[in-house]
Amino acid sequence: MAYYFSDPSKWREAQILASTLTPEKVINYILLVISYFISKVRGKPTHWGKPFSISVEPTTSCNLRCPECPSGLRSFTRPTGMLNEPQFTALTDELKPWLTYLTFYFQGEPYLNPKFLDMVKIASNRNIYTSTSTNAHYLNDENCLKTISSGLKRIIISIDGTTQETYESYRIGGSLEKVIAGTRNLIGWKTKMKSATPHIIFQFLVVKPNEHQINEIYALAGSLGVNEVKLKTAQVYDFENGSPLIPTQDQYSRYRQNTDGKWSIKNNLLNQCWQMWHSCVVTWDGKVVPCCFDKDAHHVLGETTKASFLGIWKSPAYHNFRQLILHSRSKIDICTNCTEGTKVWG
């Protein structure tokens, strides 16, 4: 669910995204869509085209300790570290003819990587639409100036409460005051620099402790001049026996309680997933994984430190994973808690 505070803001972002398109990128997207629908009809993976969008992980490090996040819990079974600039440059050099949308986020806090905004600038110079997600604790003057100068097009600010008590019940170790101050700072620098970007989004993760503040987050965003509010449903790892995080308002929950008292995900888990055709995630150390639900990189389809990305994209391992998606998605652990993947979008 999303709400734009002004139509000009909505259309401006759409125009900025459209400005990155080329005939080659449009043809690539059409090929991806056609091959995806053919695959659904045939039940066999047909795959044409290169990735339309990818996510790269600037770092696994984070300053907060959110309870349903591997970075926050310090519970990764994979190595922690930071993406390096030469590795990122090589990846974007390979993909720049087709890549349209690049998200600088998987796990961790991107601004902890000292080269993060330098890499954003590299992608922007390659005519790639760039986005990131942050807890906004590092939006000081220097970082705000560099953020705007980097060409970053969209920034998602996680803000899960309108009071410190509510906010820190999930964003453990965080300061709502810093989030609001950082947001004001970024908006102020946008005004000073007469910049239309980045498009600023408040993302509100709806959980039981904060669901009563939904109207308040819209009011706060409007008073600050934030472009958009997005409400996000929370992923809970051990949801079967319920959780104090599951909202009471059904429309904001990924889960439903069954007659036996157990909880289950609402998703019907159809044997299809658009994500597997148009995008993927590349971890800080070059591992290519199917999507953002594979937080511990259990399903590594290849490593960019050992092979070209496009070689991995068309590899037997990727083909076999797409085949499994079309036949037995319920047997894939990362899919069983997923509510995404069935819609075709960019």
Side-chain angles (χ1 to χ4, degrees):
M1 179 176 182
Y3 174 77
Y4 286 90
F5 288 100
S6 61
D7 284 340
S9 172
K10 176 180 179 180
W11 288 109
R12 186 164 54 243
E13 190 189 25
Q15 289 166 356
I16 291 169
L17 177 59
S19 71
T20 67
L21 296 177
T22 62
E24 194 168 12
K25 289 180 180 181
V26 172
I27 291 169
N28 179 63
Y29 186 79
I30 292 170
L31 289 173
L32 290 170
V33 172
I34 292 172
S35 63
Y36 173 60
F37 280 110
I38 290 173
S39 300
K40 288 205 299 179
V41 171
R42 295 177 66 240
K44 295 181 180 179
T46 297
H47 193 274
W48 303 320
K50 314 299 191 298
F52 179 83
S53 65
I54 64 170
S55 295
V56 295
E57 181 178 58
T59 182
T60 46
S61 301
C62 189
N63 55 308
L64 303 185
R65 292 184 173 270
C66 305
E68 292 293 326
C69 173
S71 289
L73 294 170
R74 311 318 194 240
S75 63
F76 280 119
T77 58
R78 61 186 176 96
T80 59
M82 295 194 180
L83 179 68
N84 67 66
E85 190 174 321
Q87 175 188 341
F88 176 77
T89 301
L91 179 66
T92 52
D93 279 345
E94 185 179 4
L95 295 181
K96 65 183 178 182
W98 313 280
L99 189 62
T100 303
Y101 199 112
L102 197 158
T103 301
F104 284 89
Y105 182 73
F106 180 29
Q107 298 297 295
E109 168 51 50
Y111 281 88
L112 289 176
N113 186 325
K115 291 292 185 178
F116 161 53
L117 293 171
D118 294 330
M119 290 184 280
V120 172
K121 192 164 189 176
I122 289 169
S124 297
N125 288 342
R126 284 159 172 71
N127 198 34
I128 300 169
Y129 185 98
T130 52
S131 173
T132 196
S133 181
T134 177
N135 59 46
H137 281 60
Y138 299 98
L139 293 178
N140 55 32
D141 285 336
E142 180 183 1
N143 280 338
C144 287
L145 181 60
K146 285 189 68 176
T147 296
I148 296 166
S149 299
S150 73
L152 184 73
K153 300 300 188 290
R154 169 185 279 214
I155 185 167
I156 297 170
I157 293 175
S158 296
I159 179 168
D160 306 324
T162 58
T163 62
Q164 176 61 26
E165 180 182 10
T166 303
Y167 173 79
E168 68 181 347
S169 68
Y170 188 82
R171 299 285 165 184
I172 297 172
S175 166
L176 179 62
E177 184 179 354
K178 284 186 177 180
V179 177
I180 293 173
T183 302
R184 281 201 180 101
N185 211 20
L186 184 58
I187 292 171
W189 275 104
K190 278 182 64 177
T191 302
K192 290 176 187 176
M193 298 176 71
K194 299 180 181 179
S195 176
T197 58
H199 182 83
I200 301 172
I201 297 171
F202 265 2
Q203 182 170 275
F204 191 82
L205 186 70
V206 183
V207 287
K208 190 174 181 179
N210 71 11
E211 61 182 326
H212 64 289
Q213 295 181 340
I214 290 173
N215 290 336
E216 294 173 17
I217 198 64
Y218 283 108
L220 176 61
S223 70
L224 292 171
V226 169
N227 299 115
E228 183 182 351
V229 171
K230 282 184 176 290
L231 303 182
K232 183 179 180 181
T233 59
Q235 177 187 5
V236 178
Y237 284 100
D238 299 317
F239 58 82
E240 292 86 355
N241 294 313
S243 166
L245 293 175
I246 297 176
T248 59
Q249 299 179 63
D250 184 66
Q251 70 267 37
Y252 302 125
S253 176
R254 296 188 186 189
Y255 313 97
R256 59 169 170 257
Q257 191 168 24
N258 304 316
T259 54
D260 62 359
K262 296 289 185 178
W263 291 75
S264 61
I265 194 166
K266 294 177 182 177
N267 187 2
N268 292 325
L269 211 62
L270 301 175
N271 288 328
Q272 59 188 45
C273 184
W274 166 235
Q275 300 287 333
M276 293 304 99
W277 267 252
H278 86 282
S279 69
C280 69
V281 173
V282 182
T283 65
W284 70 270
D285 53 352
K287 293 181 175 64
V288 177
V289 298
C291 73
C292 63
F293 278 82
D294 193 8
K295 293 178 172 59
D296 261 313
H298 289 149
H299 300 273
V300 178
L301 301 171
E303 299 185 42
T304 59
T305 55
K306 299 178 181 179
S308 70
F309 179 91
L310 294 179
I312 296 167
W313 186 246
K314 295 292 185 181
S315 68
Y318 229 128
H319 177 87
N320 292 338
F321 195 87
R322 293 184 181 113
Q323 178 76 46
L324 188 58
I325 286 284
L326 294 172
H327 284 273
S328 305
R329 189 166 171 232
S330 62
K331 294 183 179 179
I332 304 173
D333 57 338
I334 60 173
C335 295
T336 57
N337 203 357
C338 175
T339 57
E340 306 292 337
T342 58
K343 296 180 181 179
V344 177
W345 51 38

